[in-house]
């Protein structure tokens, strides 16, 4: 049986208004626990009107420190490092406490004043914080490896707080040097050992982001935001991850706007958000926002270069990166792309292609592709594929292209390079399929190398009709650009090179009618005996195939092809050899096929340019040379 507790007979003391007010007043601990450093600063400024020190209980023990100390602490965490450093200097002068030298050194590191940090650290007391500062500075200044205790005692299960901080410092050095795999291994271990340290989650997320493990990074940042849902750092990283995972469908811009609505943001955070909004909005306002930020953030220079490349401003991209020494693997890749495109643009304009630029580009790609941190990432394999491509080692590059193909099925630049590598390795069927994926109108209608390589694949796969259709479509575009077709064609190396590919490759594969058509068109562009010889040889090839029955798929087809070959031969009345061939073919056709040859002109006739005295290559060099020179797309 349960009995009601007897009420106390003692009278209850009424709480005074002062006591109630004290219980409802905020404390510095409440602000710091909530990471509300703006509120803490406001509270401290109010308290400084009547107090010099303030008591806090960070670990359950009351500790009194100067208000100015906590004001410096809050400014440091808000990113106001210069203000924090000035306050620590004032404390140092008034209290002569050498510990403040270490606080000043921390501010120096965050402001990039590594030499000053090193000097100030030597003036502080010998403790674990000084060890960490000296270790971090020595690593960044390349002054050799300073030892830092990071291993726990044998048999010990728990890791001490100081040892945990040392390991965090070691992971940070790995991160700064681009060794993200080593850094994330430390963070993964510390997360398991210290689940009550949520900040480790955000470091873990940063490393996975750099390693392109976006799903792992998203999981880590979400766990962090469950504890600190208003963290600008966490929300910004979440926005970056959403952009990487979902592209234009992400809510990254809305997340950034929610961060900007915070009551206070450090200037550095505001600049980061301004930069990221440009990225999330697909480069909108790049020229207004990014140039002033290039000295503050390496990413701003990178994204400004990317904006130039996307808008075909190759010279601007080159000017932006020409004197820039890459500081990370991504910048090596980006500069490699710029150097490759500059060399390619020189070739397109008829200038001498700089071997130095191509060699430098190849080396840039190799740095990224061979680095231990990136060699197994998608970007690393793409860079190595590009390096081998520029070296001309196409067969070796294919294993890298094939390993990442699934990520770039709709990427036209990737399909272009992959298709050329396949074709250069003799895999024309696969190359034709890959090049057919390209949908960008500018590439399909204007790119010289695309037309040449696609035509070669069509021809060598036995699809000469498709190669000829490609020529016809390019010819129509040329007619749209100029009222004088012959003048346009004579100046247009696009059509000239494409016809050479069709003429030679169709001749080698026995598709003689299309070879004859191509040689005929070449003869109209340029007076060259080798083109006339190629045309005659191709027409004789058509005649031979009809004679032996190779072209008798249907009687009509064989007759039509023989008739067209005769018309092509009869076009130039001054060519006695061609006229003789045509006469023999007509006699054979009338006798064996009962053909009535029409006197129609061969397809695609036009006025023939006047003869120009010159020495011309032989037929063997024109129609049988395996080493024609084609313009290749070397760019990423």
């Amino acid at each position: 049986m349960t009995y009601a507790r007897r009420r106390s007979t003692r009278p209850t003391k009424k709480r005074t208004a002062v006591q109630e007010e004290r219980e409802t007043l905020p404390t510095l601990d409440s602000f710091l626990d909530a990471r509300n450093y703006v509120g803490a600063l406001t509270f401290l400024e109010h308290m400084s009107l009547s107090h010099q020190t303030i008591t806090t209980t960070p670990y359950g023990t009351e500790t009194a420190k100067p208000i100015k100390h906590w004001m410096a602490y809050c400014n440091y965490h808000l990113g106001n490092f210069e203000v924090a450093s000035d306050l620590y200097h004032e404390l140092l002068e008034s209290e002569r406490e050498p510990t403040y030298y270490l606080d000043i050194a921390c501010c120096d590191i965050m402001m990039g004043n590594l030499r000053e940090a090193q000097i100030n650290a030597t003036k502080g007391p010998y403790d674990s914080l000084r060890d960490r500062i000296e270790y971090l500075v020595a690593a960044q200044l390349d002054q050799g490896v300073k030892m830092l205790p990071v291993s726990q005692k044998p048999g010990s299960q728990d890791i001490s707080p100081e040892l945990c901080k040392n390991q965090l410092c070691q992971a940070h050095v790995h991160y700064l040097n681009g060794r993200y795999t080593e850094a994330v291994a430390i963070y993964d271990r510390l997360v398991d050992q210290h689940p009550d340290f949520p900040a480790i989650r955000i470091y873990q997320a940063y490393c996975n982001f750099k390693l392109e493990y976006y799903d792992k990074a998203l999981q880590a940042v979400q766990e962090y935001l469950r504890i600190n849902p208003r963290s600008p750092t966490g929300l910004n990283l979440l926005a970056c991850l959403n952009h990487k995972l979902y592209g234009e469908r992400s809510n990254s811009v809305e997340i950034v706007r929610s961060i900007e609505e915070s009551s206070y943001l450090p200037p550095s955070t505001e600049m980061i958000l301004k930069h990221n909004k440009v990225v999330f909005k697909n480069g909108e306002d790049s020229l207004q926002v990014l140039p002033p930020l290039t000295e503050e953030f390496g990413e701003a220079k990178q994204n400004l270069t990317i904006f130039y490349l996307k808008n075909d401003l190759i010279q601007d991209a080159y000017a932006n990166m020409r004197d820039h020494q890459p500081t990370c693997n991504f910048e090596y890749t980006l500069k490699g792309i710029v150097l490759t495109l500059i060399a390619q643009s020189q070739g397109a304009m008829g200038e001498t292609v700089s071997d130095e630029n191509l060699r430098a580009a190849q080396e840039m790609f190799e740095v990224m592709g061979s680095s231990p941190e990136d060699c197994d990432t998608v970007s690393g394999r793409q860079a190595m594929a590009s390096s081998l491509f520029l070296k001309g080692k196409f067969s070796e590059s294919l294993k890298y292209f094939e390993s990442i193909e699934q990520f770039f099925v709709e990427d036209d630049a990737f399909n272009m390079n992959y298709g050329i590598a396949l074709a250069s390795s003799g895999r024309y069927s696969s190359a034709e399929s890959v090049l057919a994926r390209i949908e960008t109108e500018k590439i399909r209608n204007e790119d010289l190398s695309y037309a040449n390589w696609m035509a070669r694949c069509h021809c060598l796969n036995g699809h000469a009709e498709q190669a000829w259709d490609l020529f016809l479509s390019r010819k129509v575009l040329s007619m749209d650009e100029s009222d004088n077709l012959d003048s346009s064609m004579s100046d247009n190396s696009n059509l000239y090179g494409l016809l050479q590919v069709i003429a030679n490759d169709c001749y080698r594969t026995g598709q003689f009618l299309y070879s004859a058509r191509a040689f005929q068109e070449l003869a109209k562009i340029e007076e060259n005996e080798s083109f006339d010889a190629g045309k005659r040889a191709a027409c004789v090839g058509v005649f031979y195939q009809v004679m032996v029955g190779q072209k008798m798929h249907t009687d009509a087809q064989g007759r039509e092809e023989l008739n067209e070959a005769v018309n092509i031969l009869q076009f130039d009345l001054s060519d006695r050899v061609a006229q003789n061939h045509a006469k023999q073919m007509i006699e054979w056709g009338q006798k064996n096929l009962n053909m009535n040859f029409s006197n129609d002109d061969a397809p695609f006739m036009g006025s023939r340019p006047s003869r120009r005295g010159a020495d011309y290559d032989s037929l063997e060099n024109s129609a049988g040379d395996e080493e024609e020179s084609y313009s290749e797309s070397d760019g990423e």
Side-chain angles (χ1 to χ4, degrees):
M1 184 177 290
T2 306
Y3 296 94
R5 183 175 296 173
R6 294 182 60 186
R7 294 180 178 272
S8 171
T9 57
R10 288 185 299 174
T12 303
K13 273 189 178 181
K14 286 188 179 181
R15 291 182 298 172
T16 63
V18 174
Q19 287 175 323
E20 290 182 353
E21 184 180 357
R22 283 178 180 171
E23 290 180 5
T24 57
L25 280 175
T27 63
L28 179 59
D29 285 323
S30 65
F31 286 112
L32 297 180
D33 290 342
R35 293 174 176 78
N36 184 359
Y37 300 111
V38 175
L41 270 178
T42 305
F43 176 79
L44 289 167
E45 288 171 1
H46 173 75
M47 295 297 293
S48 66
L49 299 176
S50 56
H51 297 77
Q52 294 294 320
T53 62
I54 191 167
T55 301
T56 59
T57 55
Y59 299 105
T61 304
E62 289 192 356
T63 305
K65 286 190 177 182
I67 287 179
K68 195 172 288 186
H69 166 87
W70 288 111
M71 293 178 75
Y73 176 88
C74 291
N75 275 291
Y76 181 91
H77 282 80
L78 285 171
N80 302 324
F81 305 114
E82 191 170 349
V83 175
S85 179
D86 292 341
L87 290 169
Y88 283 129
H89 274 99
E90 293 175 13
L91 288 166
L92 182 62
E93 291 179 6
S94 62
E95 298 189 19
R96 303 295 179 184
E97 172 58 53
T99 304
Y100 289 121
Y101 278 114
L102 300 181
D103 296 322
I104 294 169
C106 290
C107 295
D108 288 332
I109 290 174
M110 298 306 294
M111 291 187 291
N113 304 326
L114 299 179
R115 299 288 182 184
E116 291 84 347
Q118 195 171 41
I119 294 170
N120 283 316
T122 59
K123 298 177 182 179
Y126 287 95
D127 62 10
S128 58
L129 176 58
R130 174 173 168 174
D131 288 340
R132 288 192 289 274
I133 292 172
E134 291 180 340
Y135 173 81
L136 181 60
V137 171
Q140 289 185 263
L141 293 177
D142 293 326
Q143 294 178 341
V145 179
K146 180 179 175 62
M147 299 304 295
L148 189 68
V150 293
S151 301
Q152 60 195 74
K153 296 178 181 178
S156 175
Q157 298 296 324
D158 298 325
I159 183 172
S160 68
E162 290 303 318
L163 198 58
C164 176
K165 293 174 184 177
N166 288 352
Q167 291 184 5
L168 287 171
C169 184
Q170 183 188 43
H172 182 62
V173 169
H174 286 319
Y175 182 91
L176 290 177
N177 291 324
R179 298 191 293 268
Y180 306 118
T181 303
E182 289 89 338
V184 79
I186 296 174
Y187 292 137
D188 288 345
R189 184 173 64 251
L190 290 176
V191 162
D192 294 335
Q193 295 171 341
H194 295 278
D196 53 332
F197 289 179
I200 300 175
R201 292 284 187 187
I202 205 73
Y203 307 145
Q204 188 185 37
Y206 270 114
C207 288
N208 282 312
F209 181 89
K210 290 292 188 179
L211 290 169
E212 300 181 10
Y213 300 150
Y214 299 127
D215 291 332
K216 287 184 178 180
L218 182 62
Q219 181 181 357
V221 78
Q222 286 174 338
E223 291 180 9
Y224 175 78
L225 287 171
R226 274 198 287 271
I227 301 171
N228 301 306
R230 299 182 63 184
S231 165
T233 301
L235 289 171
N236 178 60
L237 184 54
L238 177 65
C240 295
L241 285 164
N242 282 349
H243 179 71
K244 286 289 186 181
L245 290 169
Y246 308 114
E248 296 179 358
R249 296 180 290 110
S250 72
N251 61 342
S252 300
V253 175
E254 288 73 16
I255 294 175
V256 169
R257 286 176 182 154
S258 72
I259 302 172
E260 290 175 330
E261 293 171 359
S262 300
S263 57
Y264 175 83
L265 290 173
S268 58
T269 303
E270 289 180 345
M271 286 191 290
I272 290 172
L273 296 177
K274 193 180 294 185
H275 167 274
N276 286 352
K277 267 204 300 188
V278 170
V279 177
F280 300 154
K281 294 165 77 173
N282 201 26
E284 186 178 321
D285 299 326
S286 290
L287 295 179
Q288 291 75 30
V289 175
L290 297 182
L293 301 178
T294 54
E295 299 301 322
E296 299 290 336
F297 309 117
E299 289 84 353
K301 181 176 282 290
Q302 296 168 16
N303 285 308
L304 183 59
T305 304
I306 292 171
F307 172 81
Y308 288 142
L309 294 178
K310 285 185 174 180
N311 290 276
D312 291 330
L313 302 172
I314 308 301
Q315 293 295 334
D316 291 321
Y318 180 61
N320 195 43
M321 295 295 290
R322 178 178 50 208
D323 300 323
H324 178 67
Q325 179 59 39
T327 58
C328 63
N329 286 338
F330 177 74
E331 287 188 352
Y332 278 103
T333 301
L334 188 59
K335 190 167 184 178
I337 293 171
V338 172
L339 291 172
T340 303
L341 292 176
I342 276 291
Q344 187 170 307
S345 65
Q346 290 171 339
M349 292 186 292
E351 302 174 7
T352 302
V353 177
S354 172
D355 291 336
E356 183 181 350
N357 282 340
L358 286 178
R359 185 165 53 253
Q362 180 268 314
E363 292 171 355
M364 295 284 173
F365 289 131
E366 189 171 10
V367 169
M368 172 74 169
S370 60
S371 69
E373 298 78 24
D374 293 298
C375 63
D376 288 328
T377 65
V378 173
S379 299
R381 295 188 177 198
Q382 188 177 18
M384 183 55 77
S386 300
S387 175
L388 293 169
F389 187 101
L390 291 179
K391 282 183 178 179
K393 299 181 178 180
F394 301 109
S395 297
E396 293 180 35
S397 72
L398 286 179
K399 68 178 182 180
Y400 293 97
F401 279 120
E402 289 167 351
S403 69
I404 58 175
E405 180 184 3
Q406 59 179 314
F407 302 103
F408 297 100
V409 173
E410 298 180 358
D411 188 306
D412 287 348
F414 174 86
N415 287 329
M416 184 73 169
N417 292 326
Y418 183 27
I420 292 173
L422 286 165
S424 299
S425 302
R427 295 168 56 181
Y428 298 108
S429 179
S430 299
E432 186 177 19
S433 299
V434 170
L435 292 173
R437 296 177 193 162
I438 295 175
E439 297 181 353
T440 304
E441 289 297 322
K442 186 172 183 179
I443 296 177
R444 295 181 70 92
N445 295 334
E446 300 178 21
D447 193 281
L448 172 65
S449 56
Y450 169 81
N452 288 349
W453 282 107
M454 182 57 109
R456 162 156 281 191
C457 292
H458 285 325
C459 294
L460 297 181
N461 288 327
H463 305 149
E465 184 176 358
Q466 295 181 36
W468 192 248
D469 289 341
L470 179 61
F471 162 71
L472 293 179
S473 65
R474 289 296 180 103
K475 187 174 181 179
V476 169
L477 291 173
S478 295
M479 293 174 65
D480 292 340
E481 294 172 1
S482 174
D483 293 330
N484 188 331
L485 177 60
D486 291 322
S487 172
S488 172
M489 290 178 68
S490 63
D491 296 331
N492 194 335
S493 61
N494 193 341
L495 288 178
Y496 186 80
L498 178 58
L499 284 167
Q500 285 187 310
V501 172
I502 296 173
N504 293 325
D505 287 348
C506 285
Y507 188 89
R508 283 197 292 273
T509 53
Q511 300 172 97
F512 294 116
L513 180 62
Y514 292 97
S515 177
R517 288 180 181 177
F519 277 124
Q520 174 78 336
E521 291 293 324
L522 285 168
K524 288 189 285 184
I525 296 174
E526 178 183 342
E527 195 74 26
N528 191 318
E529 180 60 30
S530 64
F531 296 153
D532 291 333
K535 176 183 67 176
R536 291 194 299 266
C539 289
V540 170
V542 173
F543 181 41
Y544 173 79
Q545 288 179 331
V546 173
M547 285 179 62
V548 299
Q550 291 182 17
K551 281 296 180 181
M552 299 303 289
H553 307 301
T554 65
D555 288 341
Q557 181 180 350
R559 291 167 183 266
E560 288 173 4
E561 294 195 5
L562 185 58
N563 188 71
E564 185 175 338
V566 168
N567 286 335
I568 291 173
L569 290 171
Q570 289 180 329
F571 173 66
D572 186 1
L573 298 177
S574 65
D575 189 340
R576 296 292 183 88
V577 177
Q579 296 303 315
N580 192 31
H581 289 341
K583 182 179 179 181
Q584 295 178 24
M585 292 163 65
I586 290 172
E587 291 177 354
W588 185 91
Q590 290 173 339
K591 179 179 179 181
N592 294 278
L593 299 179
N594 296 320
M595 287 181 62
N596 293 319
F597 287 89
S598 66
N599 245 341
D600 297 337
D601 285 340
F604 319 117
M605 293 290 102
S607 61
R608 186 177 179 116
S610 60
R611 291 275 179 185
R612 297 186 299 272
D615 293 329
Y616 299 112
D617 295 332
S618 65
L619 171 61
E620 289 74 24
N621 288 334
S622 171
D625 187 358
E626 293 283 345
E627 302 296 330
E628 294 91 342
S629 175
Y630 302 106
S631 174
E632 299 175 0
S633 173
D634 294 333
E636 273 294 293

